[in-house]
Amino acid sequence: MALRLSRLETGRAEIFLSLQGEGRTAGTPSAFVRLAGCNLSCSWCDTAYTWDWTAYDYATHAMAMETRDVLALVLALGPHNVVITGGEPLIQQADLAELCGRLAGSGRSVEVETNGTVAPDPAMVAAVSRWNVSPKTAGSGNPQRREVPGALAAFAALPNADFKFVISTRADAEEAEAIARRYGVAPGRVALMPEGASAAQLAERSAWVRAEAAARGFRFSSRIHILLWGDGRAR
């Protein structure tokens, strides 16, 4: 089986060692696998090179790689925690399940970052240690269907799924609360994260996003990787 991955300028697949930058496991040393392709198109997306083939050349920014080769590269990096990100990983879940299953079988903890529009199949549910579900609010500017009730209900039913909302306006925070209530997601499983691709943008928004999170009983998440390295790739 093969997966479509993001390709770096060096020609290598975007598989790298870093710190998990956000969410409940922020700060954890992790091996990252960035997949190519997405079924949404957020206006503020900082990884548009993984899916926007009108602005980026597919052959330059994406590549296919056999699952066994991805597995070998990830295991060679060493960390116990592995983060599968994108793009939207679950549009490839038929092939991705093999990689996640092998990683879990090796003793790795597997996190998957998803926009919550594709329900996970049983093989993925069995292999994944933590789901980081990031439903998109109106502030994302998506023309596509960004809320799929069946998929969000499936994630809400998983005890190892957390929900993270990217916040650029106060209306985003209100919508995040409405979505959490609609699917019965307890406040302790929800985090609000300020939208921002630079330390300056995060600093400007963090104070009021923290206040919005506290008022609703939600957690607050910053973006450690942006604070440390900006929006550079493979960091």
Side-chain angles (χ1 to χ4, degrees), residues 52-74:
D52 186 356
W53 309 129
T54 62
Y56 297 90
D57 177 61
Y58 179 88
T60 301
H61 293 277
M63 63 187 297
M65 181 176 285
E66 293 294 325
T67 301
R68 63 178 179 273
D69 296 327
V70 177
L71 178 67
L73 289 172
V74 172

Side-chain angles (χ1 to χ4, degrees), residues 122-145:
M124 289 291 292
V125 171
V128 173
S129 303
R130 178 161 299 282
W131 296 95
N132 302 319
V133 186
S134 184
K136 306 311 176 191
T137 63
S140 67
N142 270 289
Q144 298 93 337
R145 185 185 183 199

Side-chain angles (χ1 to χ4, degrees), residues 23-48:
R24 195 179 291 272
T25 59
T28 303
S30 303
F32 284 79
V33 179
R34 189 177 300 284
L35 300 182
C38 191
N39 58 348
L40 296 182
S41 54
C42 298
S43 60
W44 38 249
C45 181
D46 58 0
T47 58

Side-chain angles (χ1 to χ4, degrees), residues 40 42 44 114-117 133-142 146-147 152 164-166 172 175 179:
L40 296 182
C42 298
W44 38 249
T114 175
N115 59 33
T117 61
V133 186
S134 184
K136 306 311 176 191
T137 63
S140 67
N142 270 289
R146 54 189 172 78
E147 183 177 340
L152 287 179
K164 177 201 73 186
F165 294 87
V166 177
D172 288 337
E175 186 177 355
I179 291 172

Side-chain angles (χ1 to χ4, degrees), residues 63-130:
M63 63 187 297
M65 181 176 285
E66 293 294 325
T67 301
R68 63 178 179 273
D69 296 327
V70 177
L71 178 67
L73 289 172
V74 172
L75 294 180
L77 290 175
H80 172 73
N81 199 55
V82 179
V83 180
I84 311 295
T85 188
E88 170 48 54
L90 289 188
I91 63 176
Q92 300 188 60
Q93 71 171 323
D95 294 329
L96 183 58
E98 180 184 351
L99 174 64
C100 292
R102 291 188 180 187
L103 287 168
S106 75
R108 297 310 199 265
S109 177
V110 181
E111 293 187 41
V112 173
E113 300 186 333
T114 175
N115 59 33
T117 61
V118 180
D121 65 27
M124 289 291 292
V125 171
V128 173
S129 303
R130 178 161 299 282

